[in-house]
Amino acid sequence: MASSTFSFFFLTLLLLAVITAVTPCPPSERAALFAFKAALTEPYLGIFNTWNGTDCCGTWYGIACDPTTGHVTDINLRGESQDPMFQKLGRSGYMTGKISPEICTLSNLTSLVVADWKAISGDIPACVTSLSSLRLLDLAGNRLTGQIPTDIGNIWSLSVLSLADNEISGEIPTSIVNLARLMHLDLSNNHLSGEIPYDFGKLRMLSRALLSGNQLTGSVPKSVSKMNRLADLDVSLNRLTGFIPVELGKMKVLSTLKLDGNSMTGPVPPTLLSNTGMGILNLSRNGFSGIIPDVFVADSYFMVLDLSFNNFSGRIPGSLSASKFMGHLDLSNNHLCGTIPIGSPFDHIDAASFSNNDCLCGNPLKTC
């Protein structure tokens, strides 16, 4: 009898442990979400109207949980969405307020998306760096101010970091290079200053680095050439100086390079133009000089090649005619001279692409 009583007691405890383990949305996590909601105001769509009751995992808009543990793992709130709620009202999202630090008590978060709400302000809570399971952090398209948390590199599992289109200032934290799993980085259109970390190339998993529209100074780090998976580098519209690292032209995966709108100088590395993987190259509105290297080959395939508003001199490279494809070509506002080559791709490029040079002639400009 005693043995059966003990067995029943043990099974009861085990059952209670299992029930407790899978209870969705623990009270402490629900309280954190309510604090997060209280710090924000969303007046038009009513997305927070579903945030009531005890089960935040079931019907709360934008919230997802681990089905095994019941812990909150995802906050996904986008102001630009194809969700029927947005389509029905025919408008995008608008939200004011701040991001509450209480969000950091959700220690099992793997994604935190509060993007494109246009008017959320305040700082990024520094405590987000304690969310060690976070793989996606997207706070783009708001009015966030302050600086990127100094210890951002502590979020070792992060693969996507998007803080674009805010009003964030200060320097890019040096710890960012510790994000060994980072694949997508977008810090564009903020007020960031200072230099790109010299060891930026430590981000070996990175495929997209979007840093345009800031106030970054210094030069493009040579270490970037060590990023074997980097396909898209955009540092346009900053205050960068110095030469283009020769090593960039030897990167096999890099297909988009935008350096336009800076104060860079020096010659263009020939390997940058002969690299058959390069599809979009924009070097416009800098101080690049010298001749345009005559190194184009039959496999050259440029959707965009923009060298306008520089100090290039000499002739237009005849090897451009050998290119497999040349979509948009702009050589205007330089110091080029001589006859414009005939044939493809020159027969479909308008006069504006050659205008304001020293002495170019031939179709589509005046006859030589």
Side-chain angles (χ1 to χ4, degrees):
M1 183 71 177
S3 176
S4 61
T5 302
F6 175 79
S7 298
F8 176 77
F9 179 71
F10 177 77
L11 289 173
T12 301
L13 288 177
L14 183 63
L15 181 61
L16 286 172
V18 171
I19 292 173
T20 302
V22 298
T23 299
C25 198
S28 61
E29 297 186 9
R30 189 164 62 249
L33 290 174
F34 277 132
F36 171 76
K37 170 187 173 182
L40 296 167
T41 301
E42 191 284 294
Y44 302 114
L45 298 169
I47 65 167
F48 288 130
N49 292 345
T50 62
W51 286 35
N52 52 56
T54 59
D55 183 11
C56 66
C57 303
T59 58
W60 288 27
Y61 182 88
I63 303 299
C65 302
D66 186 310
T68 303
T69 65
H71 288 298
V72 176
T73 56
D74 301 275
I75 298 176
N76 189 353
L77 300 174
R78 293 190 182 277
E80 302 287 345
S81 174
Q82 298 300 314
D83 188 280
M85 181 187 300
F86 291 74
Q87 301 299 311
K88 182 178 180 181
L89 293 177
R91 64 171 299 136
S92 59
Y94 180 83
M95 197 183 297
T96 58
K98 302 179 186 300
I99 298 175
S100 171
E102 289 298 314
I103 213 72
C104 303
T105 64
L106 301 172
S107 59
N108 295 280
L109 273 186
T110 59
S111 63
L112 174 57
V113 178
V114 187
D116 300 317
W117 293 100
K118 304 177 183 63
I120 295 176
S121 57
D123 293 358
I124 300 169
C127 58
V128 297
T129 61
S130 68
L131 297 172
S132 59
S133 297
L134 204 60
R135 294 195 293 268
L136 167 60
L137 177 59
D138 186 352
L139 305 178
N142 292 295
R143 291 183 184 171
L144 297 175
T145 53
Q147 301 185 2
I148 300 171
T150 302
D151 296 326
I152 193 74
N154 289 351
I155 315 177
W156 63 272
S157 57
L158 205 61
S159 61
V160 175
L161 175 59
S162 181
L163 304 177
D165 302 311
N166 279 288
E167 298 173 12
I168 299 168
S169 58
E171 299 187 0
I172 299 174
T174 55
S175 73
I176 203 167
V177 303
N178 296 327
L179 298 174
R181 300 184 181 184
L182 195 66
M183 294 186 286
H184 178 99
L185 174 65
D186 192 352
L187 305 179
S188 57
N189 300 318
N190 279 287
H191 305 308
L192 296 171
S193 57
E195 299 188 3
I196 300 170
Y198 77 95
D199 52 351
F200 195 69
K202 288 177 65 176
L203 297 170
R204 299 295 175 84
M205 296 293 290
L206 201 63
S207 61
R208 301 191 76 199
L210 311 178
L211 308 177
S212 65
N214 283 288
Q215 300 163 19
L216 298 173
T217 54
S219 58
V220 177
K222 290 182 180 180
S223 65
V224 168
S225 64
K226 298 179 181 178
M227 303 165 76
N228 296 328
R229 302 190 181 200
L230 188 65
D232 187 348
L233 176 61
D234 186 354
V235 292
S236 62
L237 303 174
N238 278 288
R239 299 174 182 176
L240 298 177
T241 54
F243 290 13
I244 301 174
V246 174
E247 295 83 358
L248 293 191
K250 301 175 184 178
M251 297 176 69
K252 295 180 179 180
V253 177
L254 188 64
S255 59
T256 298
L257 178 60
K258 297 180 180 178
L259 305 178
D260 50 295
N262 283 288
S263 299
M264 299 181 70
T265 54
V268 174
T271 51
L272 205 57
L273 299 179
S274 63
N275 187 336
T276 55
M278 189 66 66
I280 297 175
L281 179 61
N282 193 338
L283 307 181
S284 65
R285 299 181 185 277
N286 278 284
F288 296 120
S289 57
I291 64 168
I292 300 172
D294 196 0
V295 293
F296 297 91
V297 296
D299 289 334
S300 296
Y301 195 102
F302 283 94
M303 290 176 283
V304 174
L305 177 58
D306 193 342
L307 307 180
S308 63
F309 291 92
N310 279 289
N311 296 312
F312 292 115
S313 56
R315 304 177 68 87
I316 296 175
S319 60
L320 269 169
S321 299
S323 302
K324 184 176 182 179
F325 180 78
M326 187 67 63
H328 173 78
L329 174 67
D330 194 344
L331 304 177
S332 65
N333 295 279
N334 281 287
H335 301 290
L336 300 173
C337 266
T339 304
I340 297 172
I342 60 174
S344 179
F346 301 100
D347 53 7
H348 72 264
I349 298 174
D350 60 28
S353 294
F354 305 106
S355 63
N356 297 315
N357 276 284
D358 287 2
C359 46
L360 281 180
C361 59
N363 187 53
L365 300 181
K366 64 182 181 180
T367 304
C368 292

